[in-house]
Amino acid sequence: MPKARYTFELPTHTVDYGQEVAITDLNIDPQAQRTLNERRAQQIANNVVREAIGSIIVSQRDDGDLYIVDGQHRWRACALAGIPTIRADIHHGLNQAQEAVLFLIKNRESHKPRPIDEYHVGLTGGVPLFVDTDRILRKHDLTLGSTSTNGVGAVSGVLQITDRHGSVIFDRTLTVAEDAWGRAPETWDGMLLGGIGQFLGRWGDLVDDSDLAKKINRMGTAAKWRSEILSMSSRGGFNNSGTGSRVATAYRMVVNAWNHGRTAAKRIEP
């Protein structure tokens, strides 16, 4: 199966580096930012060294207003500590969606935001990975962020399926899970979805999804699957293979379910 490739892209634009900006002149756009953690900001303020704050990332919009792209906790800490200005790299010519993409680029290799914050910012930025994932979730009447009958809590796991295998495989994964176990919180467990997604990503061209769902169902409920995965993972995976990965263990269970009752010639080797 071909793998999806998702990238973050920005247009060429002007940046003014190292500009001193008044704290009161800066704004926050919650759709292009992570959630502000007031406690974290206060902790920074309690020990702030002005000379070590560094530069935050700011976007100057067409109306002249300045919006923080990255560095809102340092900005808030300065406000709490009574520091009137902060140094900023000011980007020009970006719209709100592009600001969101810039935020994701800046945070990918540094202080990574919470997965759910990254998800919402990615949607604002129109980033295909997040847009495609959201589209499939909506198709299945699911939300992302907390586990419930109609919600998936495994944000990183869900995004990983789309990123590695594409939105079609993510769509098939949700369908197989629901057909196997019905619509319940346990159905949307991240380990289970990850195992099914990995199986379909590798062998989807050879698999009938309806048949796969029936075979998974015969192996037990979602709760039973989850319990067995946790138990096997704690012992090092199947046959003490040492994989240690719960998703890898779930994948091997899906392989076993698919192979059950099949002749050697029709089996899939994990």
Side-chain angles (χ1 to χ4, degrees):
M1 300 290 289
K3 291 185 178 181
R5 292 185 177 273
Y6 293 95
T7 59
F8 296 160
E9 298 180 357
L10 282 176
T12 301
H13 61 280
T14 301
V15 183
D16 294 329
Y17 295 97
Q19 305 298 302
E20 203 71 23
V21 181
I23 294 296
T24 54
D25 287 343
L26 294 167
N27 302 284
I28 295 291
D29 184 340
Q31 290 185 296
Q33 267 287 349
R34 76 181 89 199
T35 304
L36 178 66
N37 185 325
E38 190 71 20
R39 182 177 179 182
R40 180 183 167 205
Q42 185 62 64
Q43 289 174 340
I44 296 172
N46 291 341
N47 302 285
V48 67
V49 177
R50 183 171 185 176
E51 292 76 15
I53 293 173
S55 295
I56 65 172
I57 307 299
V58 171
S59 173
Q60 184 167 37
R61 295 184 177 176
D62 291 341
D63 60 5
D65 287 345
L66 298 171
Y67 280 83
I68 298 173
V69 173
D70 184 60
Q72 65 170 339
H73 288 94
R74 284 174 287 163
W75 162 76
R76 178 59 178 157
C78 287
L80 292 171
I83 298 174
T85 64
I86 191 169
R87 194 172 296 276
D89 297 338
I90 303 177
H91 293 246
H92 300 270
L94 300 182
N95 58 32
Q96 184 197 51
Q98 291 161 347
E99 290 171 5
V101 172
L102 179 59
F103 168 83
L104 294 174
I105 292 172
K106 289 292 183 182
N107 282 277
R108 271 237 147 147
E109 302 302 329
S110 57
H111 187 77
K112 193 170 177 64
R114 294 187 309 153
I116 192 62
D117 285 335
E118 184 178 38
Y119 176 71
H120 288 305
V121 172
L123 287 179
T124 297
V127 178
L129 168 61
F130 304 97
V131 172
D132 288 351
T133 300
D134 183 67
R135 174 173 52 82
I136 299 303
L137 287 167
R138 289 175 181 273
K139 177 181 176 181
H140 290 265
D141 294 322
L142 290 168
T143 59
L144 191 61
S146 61
T147 301
S148 66
T149 301
N150 299 308
V152 183
V155 180
S156 295
V158 160
L159 291 170
Q160 190 173 81
I161 295 171
T162 308
D163 193 27
R164 290 185 176 180
H165 306 295
S167 60
V168 172
I169 292 298
F170 179 45
D171 187 7
R172 292 174 64 184
T173 297
L174 295 178
T175 298
V176 168
E178 184 170 356
D179 287 349
W181 296 308
R183 201 170 183 91
E186 296 81 7
T187 300
W188 316 123
D189 182 89
M191 297 182 298
L192 305 184
L193 295 179
I196 296 171
Q198 186 173 332
F199 180 82
L200 291 172
R202 292 186 180 183
W203 309 105
D205 289 341
L206 307 176
V207 170
D208 176 87
D209 292 0
S210 178
D211 191 17
L212 176 62
K214 290 175 182 177
K215 285 182 168 291
I216 289 174
N217 174 265
R218 293 189 190 114
M219 297 289 285
T221 64
K224 181 181 178 181
W225 272 69
R226 189 176 187 279
S227 177
E228 291 186 7
I229 290 167
L230 292 173
S231 176
M232 290 173 180
S233 297
S234 68
R235 300 197 306 267
F238 276 64
N239 301 319
N240 293 319
S241 62
T243 62
S245 166
R246 293 173 180 177
V247 170
T249 302
Y251 164 75
R252 290 175 178 270
M253 285 185 65
V254 176
V255 171
N256 282 356
W258 176 258
N259 285 338
H260 185 72
R262 295 184 183 276
T263 62
K266 294 183 179 180
R267 285 172 167 262
I268 286 175
E269 295 299 326

